């Protein structure tokens, strides 16, 4: 190397990578309390199906073998559960894996992707990682706004991401509004419907997106096994889309992007309808109870259709969200701070076990009245 050599003295990431704000997961530990109540990551308090756990354990007897790179049996099980063609399903290492694949396949330098202002933070991360520019459209009452999303679309837009229901707000768009959004998009723009919390929704005007995918050439729907199925530790998700999108994603995904234990557990989980119903019933019981109890303390709770609530705290000394978080951590209760979503005055609380919910309500009662 000569004195005139101006090359960097170590490898340098391509432009834009170091501008990405890394994803920060919810805390897993508290500073006090005799017992830990982790309500920061929207995990089901019922855990995984016993049948899924047994299938996972059985898979451990053959860890020397590669998994089925096409996830054939799992795709067929998903197809049977929802009446879908297995050929139009792609499985991934969590739905995050699939969101990244979508961005890699359809976004490049100079391209844009639109998402709602308080949408899932993985959307802008995946877009920036692909070299594109994420565009946040304003929301209305912490809910995605179809008109704002459409107004943000330009000739450079390649994808519109819509989490429905949305994380972290818990709000949703009725399917008439989703259809209006789709109708307003150019046919060249891919609409990605992220339905991670679909199994919890109890609204007559909601649809996860299966029908729209089936009748459109530019819509995909992503789902996860991390929430109602309780397989977050295995990282497993799936996507339903048009043939041409499935073909593109299969060309770039890792050949063994889902491990054998996850495949086995996923099949057992999706076939255990009783366990899914029990998890949904628990949420149906506790979501309104938690909401009413928190509102009775003078806190603002965004109406949620998921398995979590977004709690707004007053901008008063001693009563702010950060101070509530410290109080809860001292009691062994872990909620999720929301600064990374642009919601610094809020905490997100997972609907947990009866014991965890009651402990949180009691701790927040002491905090607000103290």
């Amino acid at each position: 190397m000569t004195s005139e050599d101006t090359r960097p003295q170590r490898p340098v990431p391509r432009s834009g990578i170091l501008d990405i704000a890394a994803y920060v997961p919810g805390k897993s530990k508290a500073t006090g309390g005799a017992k830990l109540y982790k309500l920061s990551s929207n995990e089901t308090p019922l855990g995984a199906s016993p049948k899924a756990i047994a299938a996972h354990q059985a898979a451990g007897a053959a860890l020397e073998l590669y998994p089925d790179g096409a996830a054939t049996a799992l795709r067929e099980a998903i197809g049977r559960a929802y009446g879908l063609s297995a050929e139009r399903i792609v499985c991934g290492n969590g739905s995050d894996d699939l969101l990244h694949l979508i961005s890699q396949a359809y976004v490049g330098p100079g391209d844009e992707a639109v998402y709602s202002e308080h949408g899932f933070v993985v959307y802008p991360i995946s877009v920036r990682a692909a070299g594109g520019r994420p565009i946040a459209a304003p929301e209305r009452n912490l809910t995605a706004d179809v008109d704002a999303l459409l107004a943000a679309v330009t000739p450079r837009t390649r994808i519109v991401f819509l989490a429905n229901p949305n994380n972290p707000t818990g709000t949703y768009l009725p399917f008439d509004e989703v259809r209006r959004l789709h109708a307003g998009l150019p046919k060249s723009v891919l609409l990605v419907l992220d339905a991670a919390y679909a199994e919890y929704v109890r609204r007559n005007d909601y649809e996860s997106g299966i029908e729209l995918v089936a009748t459109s050439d530019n819509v995909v729907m992503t789902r996860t096994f991390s929430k109602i199925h309780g397989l977050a530790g295995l990282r497993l998700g799936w996507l339903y889309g048009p043939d041409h999108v499935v073909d593109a994603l299969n060309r770039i995904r890792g050949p063994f992007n889902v491990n054998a234990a996850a495949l086995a557990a996923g099949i057992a989980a999706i076939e255990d309808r009783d366990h899914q119903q029990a998890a949904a019933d628990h949420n149906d019981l506790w979501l309104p109870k938690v909401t009413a109890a928190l509102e009775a303390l003078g806190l603002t709770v965004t109406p949620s259709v998921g398995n979590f609530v977004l709690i707004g705290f007053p901008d008063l000394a001693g009563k702010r969200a950060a101070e509530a978080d410290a109080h809860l951590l001292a009691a062994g209760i872990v909620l999720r701070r929301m600064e990374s979503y642009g919601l610094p005055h809020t905490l997100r609380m997972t609907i947990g076990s009866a014991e965890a919910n009651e402990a949180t309500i009691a701790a927040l009662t002491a905090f607000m009245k103290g």
Side-chain angles (χ1 to χ4, degrees):
M1 187 168 63
T2 68
S3 59
E4 285 84 21
D5 195 332
T6 59
R7 289 177 297 182
Q9 300 305 299
R10 62 182 182 182
V12 176
R14 64 173 172 75
S15 176
I17 293 297
L18 296 183
D19 295 329
I20 298 173
Y23 179 82
V24 178
K27 295 193 202 94
S28 297
K29 296 181 180 179
T31 55
K35 184 173 182 178
L36 174 69
Y37 298 107
K38 181 174 180 281
L39 302 176
S40 58
S41 299
N42 300 343
E43 297 149 336
T44 171
L46 272 63
S49 158
K51 295 177 181 178
I53 294 171
H56 173 268
Q57 292 171 338
L63 294 182
E64 76 280 9
L65 302 178
Y66 280 100
D68 172 15
T72 306
L74 177 58
R75 290 188 296 107
E76 290 174 349
I78 294 168
R80 288 192 299 271
Y82 291 98
L84 308 177
S85 168
E87 299 303 313
R88 295 180 60 178
I89 295 170
V90 181
C91 295
N93 184 33
S95 56
D96 293 357
D97 179 31
L98 299 169
L99 295 170
H100 281 286
L101 285 175
I102 291 167
S103 291
Q104 289 173 35
Y106 291 95
V107 174
D111 292 336
E112 296 176 351
V114 175
Y115 68 106
S116 63
E117 180 182 6
H118 301 298
F120 190 30
V121 293
V122 166
Y123 306 148
I125 290 174
S126 68
V127 171
R128 288 193 173 99
R133 181 182 174 218
I135 305 295
E139 295 182 357
R140 182 181 301 171
N141 299 323
L142 294 179
T143 304
D145 184 330
V146 169
D147 294 318
L149 289 167
L150 290 174
V153 173
T154 75
R156 294 180 295 278
T157 303
R158 299 293 175 262
I159 299 174
V160 172
F161 291 100
L162 178 67
N164 199 34
N166 186 54
N167 171 28
T169 61
T171 56
Y172 78 104
L173 285 184
F175 214 69
D176 283 350
E177 282 292 275
V178 177
R179 289 186 178 279
R180 185 167 74 87
L181 172 62
H182 176 247
L185 294 175
K187 295 186 183 300
S188 59
V189 173
L190 183 66
L191 175 60
V192 178
L193 300 177
D194 180 353
Y197 297 91
E199 293 90 349
Y200 290 107
V201 184
R202 297 293 182 267
R203 296 291 190 275
N204 291 333
D205 58 355
Y206 174 81
E207 292 180 34
S208 63
I210 287 175
E211 182 181 346
L212 192 58
V213 174
T215 57
S216 307
D217 211 31
N218 64 333
V219 184
V220 298
M221 177 196 66
T222 61
R223 301 286 280 267
T224 183
F225 281 82
S226 295
K227 304 307 175 186
I228 204 164
H229 297 291
L231 299 182
L234 285 180
R235 311 306 304 125
L236 184 61
W238 60 280
L239 171 150
Y240 176 54
D243 292 333
H244 66 94
V245 174
V246 168
D247 176 61
L249 299 183
N250 279 329
R251 290 172 184 268
I252 63 171
R253 70 172 176 82
F256 302 104
N257 64 326
V258 180
N259 68 72
L263 291 173
I267 293 168
I270 204 160
E271 291 178 346
D272 192 345
R273 298 295 185 92
D274 290 342
H275 188 76
Q276 296 169 46
Q277 188 61 53
D281 289 346
H282 177 85
N283 198 66
D284 290 345
L285 173 66
W286 278 100
L287 178 63
K289 280 188 176 184
V290 168
T291 299
L294 297 179
E295 289 179 335
L297 296 176
L299 297 168
T300 301
V301 181
T302 303
S304 174
V305 296
N307 69 330
F308 56 90
V309 289
L310 185 70
I311 310 167
F313 289 81
D315 188 16
L316 298 172
K319 303 299 179 186
R320 297 187 177 98
E323 294 159 321
D325 184 50
H327 176 85
L328 291 166
L329 289 172
I333 301 167
V334 186
L335 270 58
R336 180 71 182 269
R337 299 269 297 264
M338 289 285 109
E339 284 89 348
S340 62
Y341 284 88
L343 297 165
H345 302 303
T346 67
L347 299 176
R348 190 190 65 197
M349 173 187 170
T350 306
I351 301 301
S353 66
E355 181 180 330
N357 296 334
E358 288 168 350
T360 305
I361 291 167
L364 285 174
T365 299
F367 172 74
M368 292 300 294
K369 294 183 177 179

